[in-house]
């Protein structure tokens, strides 16, 4: 099974709001809204565990909410 639907199921199970921003054969980029107390390390590990051969890293960038 392709990685994208598995990542999206994982994010959905966590009840996170997300939007696919870019997709290439080597990268998936999402905008994900996380609660302030979210454990990104645990979520990163869960994403890595989906396919340890295909997923080589998970990066998080913090954005400030526009008012």
């Amino acid at each position: 099974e392709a990685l994208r639907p598995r990542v999206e199921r994982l994010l959905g199970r966590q009840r996170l709001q997300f939007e696919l921003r870019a997709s290439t054969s080597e990268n998936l980029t999402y905008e994900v809204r996380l609660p302030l107390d979210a454990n990104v390390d645990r979520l990163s590990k869960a994403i890595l565990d989906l396919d340890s051969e295909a997923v080589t890293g998970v990066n998080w960038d913090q954005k400030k909410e526009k008012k």
Side-chain angles (χ1 to χ4, degrees):
E1 181 182 14
L3 183 59
R4 178 179 166 187
R6 292 187 289 161
V7 169
E8 292 180 359
R9 271 198 306 275
L10 175 67
L11 296 173
R13 281 195 308 265
Q14 300 296 317
R15 301 190 196 304
L16 300 173
Q17 293 179 345
F18 63 92
E19 179 182 343
L20 181 67
R21 303 299 288 177
S23 176
T24 68
S25 61
E26 296 190 9
N27 289 301
L28 292 173
T29 303
Y30 289 91
E31 181 171 316
V32 181
R33 298 182 129 226
L34 296 168
L36 291 175
D37 62 348
N39 185 333
V40 294
D41 291 335
R42 187 179 323 154
L43 187 54
S44 295
K45 180 173 180 350
I47 293 169
L48 288 166
D49 288 346
L50 290 174
D51 188 339
S52 59
E53 291 182 19
V55 181
T56 58
V58 176
N59 298 313
W60 297 96
D61 294 323
Q62 184 175 357
K63 286 185 167 183
K64 296 207 179 207
E65 181 109 18
K66 294 180 183 177
K67 292 185 178 183

